[in-house]
Amino acid sequence: MAAEAALSQRLRAAVHYTVGRLCQEVGEDKDVEFSKQTIAAIAETTFRQCENFATDLELFAKHGKRTTVNTDDVKLLARRSKALLNFITEKCNDLACNNAEQKEKRALTTGKGKKKPDDHLEPTVTESEDATID
């Protein structure tokens, strides 16, 4: 339990730091200042929302009788934000295309030099040859 609490505190600190940096960047760009309380509130809200997302993703996977969260679970989570859903769908499609291309390349490179000689080919039996006529 103590290790879990320590990990949670480290994650909270990382989120707080990242939110602070983002607020700093936005503040410089928009010529606005964020108070420490505002940054802390945004960080806490972000952390809690991420916890909710994680819980929902686990439940979606469990409902699908799986132990691993997949892209369909993430899409389901993002369903209320059309822009986010479109972005995630586009990224999933890009990843799928890249994975397919890599598989093709691997198949081509591993297939070279591995072909059986012609004298070891299995004979093909057609349906007409296999059927017995009485």
Side-chain angles (χ1 to χ4, degrees):
M1 244 359 192
E4 190 176 311
L7 179 61
S8 180
Q9 283 304 105
R10 287 181 59 204
L11 287 172
R12 278 183 197 277
V15 169
H16 186 86
Y17 174 78
T18 304
V19 168
R21 294 298 304 254
L22 288 170
C23 287
Q24 183 180 5
E25 285 181 32
V26 170
E28 290 170 1
D29 188 43
K30 303 289 183 183
D31 198 28
V32 175
E33 282 191 41
F34 292 87
S35 69
K36 288 182 180 182
Q37 294 85 359
T38 301
I39 292 170
I42 294 170
E44 183 62 24
T45 302
T46 302
F47 188 81
R48 288 187 184 182
Q49 188 63 43
C50 287
E51 285 182 321
N52 291 338
F53 285 165
T55 301
D56 287 348
L57 288 169
E58 287 177 24
L59 291 172
F60 293 158
K62 186 176 181 180
H63 180 75
K65 295 176 179 46
R66 291 177 276 104
T67 57
T68 304
V69 172
N70 66 24
T71 55
D72 289 335
D73 299 325
V74 177
K75 290 176 188 176
L76 185 59
L77 182 73
R79 71 191 180 280
R80 291 191 180 110
S81 171
K82 186 76 170 166
L84 182 58
L85 180 58
N86 289 340
F87 178 80
I88 290 170
T89 301
E90 182 181 317
K91 291 298 173 189
C92 287
N93 291 340
D94 290 347
L95 285 172
C97 287
N98 289 341
N99 287 343
E101 288 173 4
Q102 287 179 355
K103 279 185 181 178
E104 274 185 38
K105 286 179 184 176
R106 272 184 268 156
L108 289 174
T109 58
T110 59
K112 291 181 183 174
K114 301 250 180 181
K115 191 174 179 182
K116 282 185 174 180
D118 288 337
D119 60 337
H120 289 91
L121 291 176
E122 298 285 328
T124 305
V125 178
T126 62
E127 186 177 323
S128 60
E129 293 171 343
D130 193 32
T132 56
I133 302 173
D134 291 329

